[in-house]
Amino acid sequence: MTAEFLDWPVPSSPLAEVEYSQQATRFSVWSPKAEQVKVNLYRRGEGGVPFESYPMHLQVDGTWTVAVSGNLNGVFYTFQVQTAGKWKSETPGIFAKAVGVNGKRAQVLDLKETNPEGWERDARPVLRSFSDVVLYEMHYRDFSMDKESGISHKGKFLALAEQGTKNAEGLATGLEHLKELGVNHVCLLPSYDYGSVDEARLQMPQYNWGYDPVNYNVPEGSYSTNPEEPAVRIKEFKQMVMALHQAGIRVVMDVVYNHVLDAGTSAFELTAPGYFFRKHADGTYANGSGCGNETASERPMMRKFILESVLYWIKEYHVDGFRFDLMGIHDVETMNAIRKAVDQLDPSIFLYGEGWAANKPAFPLELLAMKGRMVQMPGIAAFGDEMRDALRGAWNNNKKGAFLTGVSGHEKNVKFGLMGAIQDWAAAPTQMISYVSCHDDMCIADRIKATTQRASKEERIRLQKLALTAVLVSQGVPLIWCGDELLRDKKGVHNSYNSPDSVNAIAWKLKTEHIDLFHYIRELISLRKHHVAFHMGKAELVKKHMEFLPVKTKNVVAFLLHGQAVGDTWNEIIVVLNSCKQTVKVRVSQGTYTIAIKGGELKESGLGVFKGHLLAIPPQSAMMIYR
Ligand code: CA
């Protein structure tokens, strides 16, 4: 920690900017260097003037407090801080738990009132081990905006709480689709209050991924049915969590503690100027996020903030996991502190992140939670971009293909990903997220289209199946981007963070058109769940019981799993990934095997029998046999 912050006291009690009771409300805000601080009370979430303002009083722990008597439930408030003789703009504080439209003012709210019926009985679906996790990353609008989604609450939290929704041909959509697919975690793109969608103008279609945080501890208003009424978004988020839990699906929040929408006008800067952000020697904001600023997790109050925010989402909203955006901007110590605190609540809560930053952070690299430091962060996973790039090509060149499109030289990194990165940066295969596409960059269907020359749709579907087979037979933790199981596309758009629904929304008629692809992915997920050999969970088991078969042909990867040794009902499992345009032959031990996958078809109980030692794998497809 830089010496200049040593004289900023840090409270030992949890951050609580509002403590409500029917008799009185106690406000507090951390601002050790302020000259004066006041709290302004309002009747409404926007407009008008305060009906009351109270000066606050500095405590030894650096917080300013005031208790206001009376029942303040429903009253809106802002804090205001004076430094260098000047009053700064009003802010809802750094830990607002309820806010009005666009998050400008916080609200005193009895949170118990926001609990939906049955909330006290809501339970986290059982998870035996991180090796059982199957992630499905999604955006509310992508998933529900299509006119054929059959979902009423399009683009809302409640879209994921609707039962029995169907597309025009009667196939399941929404929550029913997720149940049918068999994923056990959804990772929701930013769901906290962010700034890039104007909640006061929702009649205008607006789309954003939401990587521009405003209030970290409040659900985003545009995903609620009424952003003007603070309790509504809170209750609806909880309804969504409860519906997903009842469907056996855990909820992962995408958390973006590494930067804010705008540092200068952020609650961090308006309450404790200069403290929460890293700066260069010349006083300018460091920009490891590529979004104009980077937070300083190594400073005790920022670390405390992240930690308590994570715990708050778990306790108040029953969230089951977290994806840390640009985790490489945070320090290792903070990430380990989060794992430790979360373990005390529930060690089955899954934590993972992006083990990189957009630009070089203004902090010693060896202390940052980059992918190369994962061995120092047990129980936390990172995205495995090696296999992603080896399959589809690097993120910075849309037109360049790799293994999938027959470019040789990528076999090594495909193998690297199949093993769960344990030959290098992962101490356990569950520390690697296995994926071929996520919200960033082109989705896999677009990428395959962009990197194949005049390929027919049939050929592109073959490659899509091959890509997702690699992901789902990897020892890492598989992640599927929403709609990849339906051949969804984004009209070729690479960075679709603010593209309209016409680009981002999944057309649910795709499920009807590509039901064969959907069935293949669904059966692959089911097969993975049934067979522990595909997710052994421990590096020493993978090293011992997974072996790559010698293959001379380029663009072919073959491996053998000794299933029985890890408790699988299948003993010898052989998987071959062939991206060549012709049938290839691979030598296996002489014997009689059951065929589970061949030529884009999958049947766990068997598609037929293979006898012999020379296995023929059809073009551009995966093959799996077992005995
Ligand atoms: Ca917002």
Side-chain angles (χ1 to χ4, degrees):
M1 189 173 66
T2 35
E4 61 192 300
F5 296 106
L6 287 172
D7 61 338
W8 293 60
V10 173
S12 53
S13 55
L15 271 163
E17 290 180 338
V18 164
E19 286 166 283
Y20 162 82
S21 81
Q22 287 183 1
Q23 290 73 40
T25 296
R26 183 176 180 272
F27 295 95
S28 72
V29 65
W30 185 74
S31 188
K33 302 291 171 181
E35 289 147 10
Q36 292 189 73
V37 180
K38 61 182 175 181
V39 59
N40 307 304
L41 304 186
Y42 293 88
R43 299 282 176 215
R44 297 176 51 215
E46 60 170 348
V49 292
F51 67 86
E52 206 72 76
S53 288
Y54 294 94
M56 300 175 79
H57 313 287
L58 181 63
Q59 310 298 315
V60 288
D61 63 5
T63 58
W64 296 69
T65 64
V66 68
V68 178
S69 59
N71 190 345
L72 264 51
N73 196 17
V75 166
F76 289 88
Y77 67 90
T78 61
F79 295 116
Q80 236 178 321
V81 168
Q82 191 195 72
T83 55
K86 283 175 81 175
W87 284 101
K88 294 189 146 310
S89 303
E90 294 173 61
T91 167
I94 65 172
F95 220 103
K97 293 176 177 175
V99 295
V101 66
N102 285 323
K104 302 282 186 220
R105 291 177 190 161
Q107 192 193 41
V108 179
L109 181 65
D110 184 359
L111 285 168
K112 285 195 295 296
E113 290 174 4
T114 65
N115 292 345
E117 172 119 19
W119 184 242
E120 63 288 351
R121 292 187 303 279
D122 176 60
R124 193 165 277 134
V126 174
L127 183 73
R128 187 190 59 96
S129 150
F130 292 152
S131 63
D132 292 350
V133 172
V134 180
L135 294 159
Y136 187 86
E137 190 180 88
M138 56 168 292
H139 185 281
Y140 299 100
R141 292 184 78 93
D142 289 38
F143 204 60
S144 60
M145 286 311 289
D146 181 43
K147 59 186 188 314
E148 287 186 23
S149 70
I151 294 167
S152 316
H153 296 96
K154 289 184 172 60
K156 306 293 181 189
F157 297 129
L158 290 179
L160 281 169
E162 285 183 39
Q163 312 283 338
T165 57
K166 289 179 170 62
N167 73 358
E169 290 81 25
L171 297 172
T173 61
L175 179 63
E176 297 301 323
H177 174 77
L178 294 176
K179 285 201 271 190
E180 197 184 356
L181 184 60
V183 293
N184 54 25
H185 283 68
V186 286
C187 175
L188 303 163
L189 258 63
S191 305
Y192 52 73
D193 178 34
Y194 62 78
S196 52
V197 165
D198 184 351
E199 299 174 7
R201 304 191 327 144
L202 294 183
Q203 65 283 5
M204 309 259 299
Q206 301 176 71
Y207 182 100
N208 209 287
W209 284 340
Y211 291 92
D212 47 81
V214 176
N215 290 291
Y216 282 102
N217 300 300
V218 187
E220 160 61 12
S222 66
Y223 298 141
S224 78
T225 57
N226 184 1
E228 316 271 339
E229 195 55 64
V232 172
R233 60 178 83 182
I234 300 174
K235 185 175 185 177
E236 290 177 350
F237 190 94
K238 289 175 176 176
Q239 284 176 281
M240 170 188 75
V241 171
M242 200 158 73
L244 285 160
H245 282 174
Q246 281 164 4
I249 298 167
R250 289 183 169 220
V251 178
V252 177
M253 288 263 297
D254 190 338
V255 284
V256 188
Y257 297 115
N258 68 81
H259 73 273
V260 298
L261 169 67
D262 176 57
T265 57
S266 68
F268 287 142
E269 200 66 358
L270 292 179
T271 54
Y275 184 85
F276 290 101
F277 297 97
R278 293 183 190 136
K279 284 187 175 171
H280 296 302
D282 66 1
T284 57
Y285 289 111
N287 184 21
S289 67
C291 300
N293 59 81
E294 71 183 65
T295 56
S297 59
E298 68 281 6
R299 289 175 204 157
M301 198 61 181
M302 186 65 208
R303 179 175 297 155
K304 182 179 168 72
F305 174 81
I306 297 175
L307 204 61
E308 291 186 15
S309 175
V310 165
L311 297 180
Y312 176 68
W313 283 101
I314 297 171
K315 290 179 187 167
E316 184 65 32
Y317 289 95
H318 302 182
V319 163
D320 313 291
F322 296 86
R323 171 205 182 271
F324 291 85
D325 186 67
L326 301 181
M327 183 170 72
I329 289 178
H330 303 319
D331 63 319
V332 169
E333 195 178 334
T334 296
M335 292 312 300
N336 282 332
I338 295 169
R339 181 70 265 177
K340 195 175 162 197
V342 167
D343 279 348
Q344 284 167 2
L345 291 181
D346 186 340
S348 76
I349 287 171
F350 189 56
L351 305 178
Y352 66 105
E354 293 181 302
W356 51 72
N359 300 316
K360 191 178 169 296
F363 196 68
L365 192 64
E366 65 274 17
L367 300 176
L368 291 173
M370 298 285 184
K371 199 172 60 179
R373 307 259 121 58
M374 295 315 293
V375 291
Q376 296 170 31
M377 295 179 276
I380 301 174
F383 283 92
D385 52 331
E386 296 88 353
M387 185 168 84
R388 178 200 68 187
D389 290 356
L391 288 167
R392 60 148 218 203
W395 65 274
N396 55 3
N397 187 346
N398 294 334
K399 296 220 155 50
K400 208 168 169 191
F403 181 85
L404 287 175
T405 46
V407 180
S408 63
H410 298 282
E411 297 83 353
K412 187 166 162 266
N413 273 352
V414 172
K415 291 177 182 177
F416 180 93
L418 289 169
M419 290 187 83
I422 56 169
Q423 288 164 315
D424 186 27
W425 53 263
T430 48
Q431 279 196 293
M432 189 197 96
I433 303 297
S434 161
Y435 72 122
V436 68
S437 84
C438 64
H439 67 277
D440 278 315
D441 314 339
M442 282 183 168
C443 59
I444 189 60
D446 279 338
R447 186 62 181 245
I448 289 172
K449 207 172 192 173
T451 52
T452 49
Q453 301 283 316
R454 293 178 296 275
S456 66
K457 194 177 193 183
E458 288 67 33
E459 184 179 353
R460 288 186 279 115
I461 290 174
R462 280 203 296 278
L463 293 173
Q464 183 114 351
K465 283 181 178 175
L466 182 60
L468 287 160
T469 307
V471 169
L472 284 159
V473 301
S474 161
Q475 296 290 334
V477 173
L479 177 142
I480 300 167
W481 167 234
C482 63
D484 279 353
E485 74 282 13
L486 306 175
L487 206 73
R488 72 84 60 95
D489 65 85
K490 295 195 294 185
K491 298 191 162 64
V493 178
H494 179 93
N495 186 0
S496 64
Y497 79 100
N498 67 353
S499 300
D501 293 326
S502 57
V503 167
N504 280 310
I506 297 169
W508 280 98
K509 70 172 189 304
L510 291 174
K511 187 164 181 182
T512 311
E513 287 170 17
H514 306 127
I515 191 73
D516 167 67
L517 173 65
F518 171 72
H519 283 158
Y520 181 86
I521 307 302
R522 181 190 69 182
E523 292 308 307
L524 199 50
I525 292 170
S526 166
L527 187 151
R528 179 185 175 90
K529 284 186 182 167
H530 293 162
H531 294 281
V532 69
F534 296 107
H535 49 110
M536 297 181 196
K538 291 193 162 67
E540 57 270 28
L541 293 177
V542 175
K543 282 175 187 160
K544 206 166 163 190
H545 305 299
M546 177 174 187
E547 55 179 289
F548 289 97
L549 303 178
V551 181
K552 286 212 183 73
T553 319
K554 285 177 176 166
N555 285 91
V556 179
V557 170
F559 62 91
L560 167 67
L561 302 171
H562 298 283
Q564 234 159 44
V566 291
D568 204 310
T569 52
W570 290 356
N571 188 19
E572 278 181 29
I573 306 168
I574 293 168
V575 180
V576 187
L577 307 175
N578 172 24
S579 63
C580 301
K581 288 189 174 180
Q582 56 280 327
T583 297
V584 297
K585 289 188 175 164
V586 171
R587 188 173 292 275
V588 300
S589 297
Q590 176 72 33
T592 303
Y593 300 81
T594 304
I595 300 167
I597 299 178
K598 186 181 181 182
E601 280 188 74
L602 191 163
K603 196 176 178 193
E604 198 178 321
S605 61
L607 288 161
V609 167
F610 165 75
K611 275 184 198 170
H613 67 278
L614 221 47
L615 184 68
I617 300 98
Q620 299 176 311
S621 69
M623 187 150 180
M624 183 189 291
I625 59 172
Y626 65 90
R627 61 172 177 177

